[in-house]
Amino acid sequence: MTPSLTVVPVEPGQSRYAALAAALRARVVAGEWPPGSALPAEQTLAAEHGVALGTLRRALELLADRGLIERIHGRGTFVRAGMTGGTMMRFFRFGEGTGEVPASRIVSRQVLVAPAEVARRLGLARGDTALRLQRVRSLSGQPCVYEEIWLPLALFADLAEGEAAAWSDLLYPMFAERCGVHVHRAVDEIAFGALTAAQGRHLALPAGHPCALVTRSAYDLAGHCVEVRYTRGDAHAFHYTVTIT
Amino acid sequence: MTPSLTVVPVEPGQSRYAALAAALRARVVAGEWPPGSALPAEQTLAAEHGVALGTLRRALELLADRGLIERIHGRGTFVRAGMTGGTMMRFFRFGEGTGEVPASRIVSRQVLVAPAEVARRLGLARGDTALRLQRVRSLSGQPCVYEEIWLPLALFADLAEGEAAAWSDLLYPMFAERCGVHVHRAVDEIAFGALTAAQGRHLALPAGHPCALVTRSAYDLAGHCVEVRYTRGDAHAFHYTVTIT
């Protein structure tokens, strides 16, 4: 029999359902319910935590809003297997838009002292090193976006070794498989800038050419930032649609 | 007593709940429940339309996703009074970000033949005229964005006359009050471009200066496009964050 799990508000003024959400998240992070698996029935969870069904439902709503779980009508509640729809290519229109997965080429892989902004986002101390990847993504042989990707060594040491040329074109499934890191949420900040000469060379564009710059912070199940990424592409190919209600 | 309202699928293959959602939307559009008012209880609505409670809830979910209604936990379901958070200024960072409402100045108001793209979006025939506004929005006296706004005369004839200088800085409350048009949904397409000399003059920027261009289509309760807007601002002030899960 499962012992009753107490819900203790971790911050003064925190609501009961927010405290419950934190407790449920901790169970997911601890691996009790792996990504893709179903959570127990609502009645069971409410009984385990000694809360009313309404409180449990509000906690689940909160976790669904944060992308940790997914509620599928008539089927139940599931731990999400990972983020969907997060491709950087959604910010650009190149060529025909055939849905082709862009080819990925790692052009460099180095362990470097993380710049201040990267260290701040990753929660590293000043002077800490991190793994930096530079990669170019191409469609039909044409370079489309150039990326600088910063990863904390504590989680991604495995990627610092071995043959990067053999990596998959999609990084997140590889992060999950090789490093056990599940990206569940990403915050993409869009700005406009100009390419340096070095950045331009990767994209076959001249220095000073206008670019869109997307700065990503990606988060794991526990809400820790596990990746900082700078993606640059031709500003004239940038296109993004936002619907508001 | 309310007569039973039949749910007739309007398209072959349309699901029962989608047909119900269309029927409920029609009741909102007809003014049965004005913006801001509460819908009847779920049991009542389900009985009126002769559907199961589960079907009704899926229909309400669909209408909430489309921004027509709002479900407030523990309070009920309400017809939304209008779109929130749709300001074009959210795409830019000017100055301190004090939350100041930018001043609006209408620099021209003309009835013109709608360009092809505008006519297509507004559902006008080729050669039809529309009301075109040009306006500049400023913060602390500095011009920030320049807008070209196209409105169908059938809905907005009232705005073609009278003193535009006296208009509110916020257009949508005025659209509702003077023309009975409630904007409930907007689709904003972001791209980067360069200012023409004429556009640049409104923003005190030179011809060719890089700009962010936001093309908006705004929709009313019934889902008709009621406004097409082109908003341009300095690309270097553009900043927008997207969170994905």
Side-chain angles (χ1 to χ4, degrees):
Chain A
M1 205 183 126
T2 314
S4 174
L5 298 157
T6 316
V7 176
V8 182
V10 290
E11 291 167 25
Q14 190 185 33
S15 69
R16 197 166 172 79
Y17 75 90
L20 175 60
L24 293 170
R25 176 188 287 275
R27 294 177 73 178
V28 170
V29 171
E32 186 171 341
W33 307 301
S37 69
L39 261 60
E42 293 183 348
Q43 287 80 356
T44 310
L45 283 176
E48 281 177 11
H49 287 273
V51 298
L53 207 52
T55 305
L56 177 81
R57 288 192 177 137
R58 290 189 74 181
L60 293 179
E61 266 172 41
L62 195 63
L63 294 177
D65 283 348
R66 301 309 294 265
L68 189 77
I69 61 171
E70 192 172 16
R71 311 187 74 185
I72 301 175
H73 193 84
R75 291 194 45 218
T77 304
F78 297 82
V79 179
R80 290 190 51 191
M83 201 176 69
T84 52
T87 172
M88 288 294 181
M89 303 306 282
R90 75 193 197 283
F91 292 120
F92 298 91
R93 278 192 190 161
F94 297 106
E96 305 288 311
T98 53
E100 172 191 353
V101 173
S104 166
R105 187 167 59 87
I106 304 291
V107 294
S108 86
R109 176 178 53 169
Q110 292 173 278
V111 174
L112 298 170
V113 172
E117 188 193 81
V118 171
R120 182 178 56 73
R121 288 176 184 248
L122 290 177
L124 301 177
R126 200 187 167 108
D128 277 359
T129 55
L131 181 63
R132 190 194 68 174
L133 309 173
Q134 295 179 304
R135 75 166 181 164
V136 174
R137 304 198 80 189
S138 304
L139 285 168
S140 311
Q142 294 298 310
C144 294
V145 300
Y146 163 71
E147 301 191 309
E148 291 175 26
I149 299 170
W150 290 88
L151 305 170
L153 282 165
L155 296 172
F156 292 96
D158 189 53
L159 298 185
E161 294 165 10
E163 188 52 76
W167 289 1
S168 157
D169 284 342
L170 296 174
L171 292 182
Y172 290 171
M174 188 180 71
F175 288 0
E177 195 182 324
R178 291 191 45 178
C179 309
V181 176
H182 294 268
V183 171
H184 259 251
R185 185 163 164 265
V187 178
D188 290 334
E189 298 171 53
I190 309 164
F192 174 86
L195 295 171
T196 64
Q199 292 160 353
R201 272 194 293 277
H202 291 296
L203 293 171
L205 291 170
H209 190 87
C211 72
L213 165 61
V214 182
T215 303
R216 165 171 293 184
S217 296
Y219 298 88
D220 69 5
L221 283 167
H224 297 131
C225 183
V226 295
E227 179 200 25
V228 174
R229 187 189 300 208
Y230 301 94
T231 300
R232 287 176 172 85
D234 188 342
H236 301 115
F238 181 88
H239 198 280
Y240 188 67
T241 299
V242 183
T243 298
I244 42 168
T245 57
Chain B
M1 208 184 125
T2 314
S4 175
L5 298 157
T6 316
V7 176
V8 183
V10 290
E11 290 166 26
Q14 189 184 35
S15 68
R16 198 167 172 78
Y17 76 90
L20 175 61
L24 292 170
R25 177 187 285 275
R27 294 176 73 177
V28 170
V29 171
E32 186 172 343
W33 307 302
S37 69
L39 261 60
E42 293 183 349
Q43 288 79 357
T44 310
L45 283 175
E48 282 178 10
H49 286 274
V51 298
L53 207 51
T55 305
L56 177 82
R57 287 189 179 138
R58 291 189 72 181
L60 293 179
E61 265 172 41
L62 194 65
L63 294 176
D65 283 349
R66 303 307 296 263
L68 189 78
I69 62 171
E70 192 172 18
R71 312 187 73 184
I72 301 175
H73 193 85
R75 291 192 49 217
T77 303
F78 297 82
V79 179
R80 290 191 51 191
M83 202 176 68
T84 52
T87 171
M88 288 295 182
M89 303 307 281
R90 77 193 195 283
F91 292 119
F92 298 92
R93 278 191 188 161
F94 297 107
E96 305 290 310
T98 54
E100 172 191 353
V101 173
S104 165
R105 186 167 60 88
I106 304 291
V107 295
S108 87
R109 176 177 52 171
Q110 290 173 281
V111 174
L112 298 170
V113 171
E117 187 192 81
V118 171
R120 181 179 56 74
R121 289 177 183 248
L122 290 177
L124 301 177
R126 200 186 166 111
D128 277 359
T129 56
L131 181 63
R132 190 193 69 173
L133 309 173
Q134 294 178 305
R135 75 166 180 163
V136 173
R137 305 197 80 189
S138 306
L139 285 168
S140 310
Q142 295 297 311
C144 294
V145 300
Y146 163 71
E147 301 191 310
E148 291 175 26
I149 299 169
W150 290 88
L151 304 169
L153 283 166
L155 296 172
F156 292 96
D158 189 54
L159 299 185
E161 293 165 11
E163 188 52 77
W167 288 1
S168 159
D169 284 339
L170 296 173
L171 291 182
Y172 290 170
M174 187 180 73
F175 287 1
E177 195 182 325
R178 290 191 45 178
C179 307
V181 176
H182 294 269
V183 171
H184 260 251
R185 185 165 164 265
V187 178
D188 290 333
E189 299 170 53
I190 309 164
F192 290 106
L195 295 171
T196 64
Q199 291 160 354
R201 270 194 293 278
H202 291 297
L203 294 170
L205 291 170
H209 190 88
C211 71
L213 165 62
V214 182
T215 303
R216 165 172 292 182
S217 295
Y219 298 87
D220 69 6
L221 283 168
H224 297 130
C225 183
V226 296
E227 178 199 26
V228 174
R229 187 191 300 207
Y230 301 94
T231 299
R232 287 175 172 85
D234 189 343
H236 300 111
F238 181 86
H239 198 280
Y240 188 66
T241 299
V242 184
T243 298
I244 43 168
T245 57

